[in-house]
């Protein structure tokens, strides 16, 4: 899968691309990430890509006549134009169903704003999918773009060491509720014990316990998810013995 990130600050992505699962996915040829500096589309010696807002007001606005050609050139640089996402607090909230939808694309272009955001004609002309990380304001779209990349690559076959890891994550299509609590060695720490059932070796009972924990935890923390979910305590436990992400 190919990601193209369009940003005024490509340097923000340097270490992000060079660590952990994303680095392995890139090295393994499963993922490609190309960075494009929007400032390269400026046509004056100051590299101007923003201007004051019409009508007055605070801050600067990213210019339509610089951003649109930048996106169009990047789209044309590969055989498929790809799906364009514009990072915006006013967009559709990023959630797992959207991530699953995005993971089916061959190519995603992630357009990151800065300052007060984009001239509205960028949206009118390019018709991007606007994506928000949540109801808060970031300085720029880069962190939101990273969240899209991280969440999407987890669903690309081969990126995780164990495919079940993503399948059973909280919110995932195999489990639209929260994941159960997890434990690893030591068996006891400062008086806190691992639940006995997990040490029993009885995979059937472990699966059943996990299914119950998912429901209990979701009822306690996110009852809204439970209302939407088909899963309940009576549902047959799904087989997941031995599942574990081995290369977090
Ligand atoms: N003035 C804009 C508003 O009130 O809607 C906010 C501009 S923000 C300071 C600059 C850029 O950061 C935005 O263009 C967008 O790309 C990015 N950004 C900020 N908050 C975001 C969020 N919650 N989700 C996604 N992108 C965000």
């Amino acid at each position: 899968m190919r990601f193209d990130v369009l940003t005024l600050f490509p340097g923000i992505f340097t270490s992000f691309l060079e660590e952990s699962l994303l680095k392995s996915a890139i090295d393994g040829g499963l993922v490609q990430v190309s960075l494009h500096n929007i400032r390269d589309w400026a046509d004056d010696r100051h590299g101007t890509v923003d201007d004051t807002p019409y009508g007055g007001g605070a801050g600067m606005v990213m210019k339509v006549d610089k951003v649109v050609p930048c996106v169009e050139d990047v789209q044309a640089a590969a055989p498929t134009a790809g799906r364009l996402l514009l990072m915006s607090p006013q967009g559709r909230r990023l959630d797992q169903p959207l991530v699953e939808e995005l993971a089916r694309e061959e190519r995603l272009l992630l357009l990151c704003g800065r300052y007060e955001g984009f001239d509205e004609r960028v949206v009118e002309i390019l018709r991007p999918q606007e994506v928000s990380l949540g109801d808060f304001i970031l300085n720029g779209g880069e962190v939101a773009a990273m969240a899209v990349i991280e969440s999407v690559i987890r669903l690309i076959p081969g990126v995780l060491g164990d495919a079940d890891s993503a399948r059973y994550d909280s919110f995932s299509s195999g489990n639209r509720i929260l994941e159960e609590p997890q434990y690893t060695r030591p068996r006891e720490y400062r008086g806190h014990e691992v639940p006995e059932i997990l040490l029993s070796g009885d995979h059937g009972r472990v699966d059943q316990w996990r299914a119950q924990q998912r429901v209990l935890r979701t009822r306690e923390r996110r009852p809204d998810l439970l209302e939407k979910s088909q899963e309940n305590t009576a549902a047959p436990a799904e087989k997941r013995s031995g599942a574990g992400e081995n290369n977090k």
Side-chain angles (χ1 to χ4, degrees), residues 15-85:
S15 61
F16 176 66
L17 299 177
E18 287 172 3
E19 301 284 351
S20 189
L21 285 175
L22 182 52
K23 177 177 167 39
S24 311
I26 292 169
D27 290 349
L30 295 169
V31 170
Q32 185 189 344
V33 183
S34 299
L35 302 174
H36 309 275
N37 191 336
I38 299 169
R39 210 172 290 285
D40 292 344
W41 276 262
D43 49 17
D44 64 356
R45 63 193 179 89
H46 302 295
T48 306
V49 289
D50 57 308
D51 206 341
T52 52
Y54 274 121
M60 302 294 275
V61 175
M62 291 181 70
K63 288 165 68 61
V64 62
D65 58 331
K66 303 296 171 274
V67 174
V68 168
C70 167
V71 172
E72 288 173 344
D73 287 351
V74 171
Q75 280 175 327
T80 46
R83 182 161 165 187
L84 176 63
L85 308 183

